[in-house]
Amino acid sequence: MATRKLLQRVTEAVPQGEEFVAAFQSEPASVDGKQPIAPKEHRPQVFVGMNRPSDSWGTVFSVLGRLLTNDLFNYSAPMNSDAGQREKCRQEGAAFFGDWTSNAGELLAALQPQSRTGVISMLTVTTHRARVIYIQRRRGSMYRLRDGTELGWSWPLDQLAWVRQRAGKNVQFGFPDGSWASVVAHTADDLQRYFPHMLPKAADIPR
């Protein structure tokens, strides 16, 4: 759930010529408890040189917390980019199809930025585009915002091949290159409001 201050920061970051519609704190959706983890070379570096000494302590506390919850090691969900397996993945409703250079892979990698300071990745919908906007936060504290804001990945809404509703608040985006990706959109809103042509949960992935 995004706070009012966080949404204000996102709204202010929207480029001129676009109007803010909605924004959701987002991350790649998990598959059987595993996330598709992008290799470092595909993950954007953000807020370079903007970290502070307190971020180092935040990192320590974050690691300790993950140790206590047995969540230190992330295991990557299986991925498939074999064109010969696409139909099987489509029929099985796979959460991610494509490689890290595909349109869908670029979106998932954008939601996993690298930074020495804290980052909140906001999947943002404007009148023309879906885009990722990064808001700086203190590392180890989700809602202690700092001054940094950066624009990341973006895609024209009218060039999305399809959008599909998934379980909970998960949304799946299909792209013209045949790839697709599932992301979590943390919100209490009805996502159908922002994606009026969204396919229902029961719908198959389009061919």
Side-chain angles (χ1 to χ4, degrees), residues 57-72:
W57 284 109
T59 301
V60 172
F61 292 137
S62 177
V63 170
L64 287 174
R66 291 168 64 190
L67 278 171
L68 291 172
T69 59
N70 198 30
D71 188 37
L72 181 61

Side-chain angles (χ1 to χ4, degrees), residues 28 86 90 94-111 123-124 128-132 153-164 171-183 195 199 205-207:
R86 187 181 186 280
R90 190 191 72 82
F96 173 38
F97 179 82
D99 59 26
W100 296 111
T101 63
S102 69
N103 300 149
E106 290 175 350
L107 167 58
L108 294 184
L111 293 173
L123 180 63
T124 305
H128 303 297
R129 306 184 75 87
R131 57 170 65 248
V132 176
W153 171 96
S154 72
W155 193 267
L157 286 175
D158 61 2
Q159 293 182 32
L160 283 169
W162 48 269
V163 182
R164 179 174 177 242
V171 184
Q172 200 165 53
F173 295 96
F175 294 91
D177 66 354
S179 65
W180 65 77
S182 296
V183 305
F195 303 103
L199 300 172
I205 292 174
R207 294 178 183 274

Side-chain angles (χ1 to χ4, degrees), residues 16-28:
Q16 191 172 13
E18 299 178 40
E19 294 182 18
F20 174 85
V21 175
F24 320 104
Q25 192 174 324
S26 297
E27 62 199 35

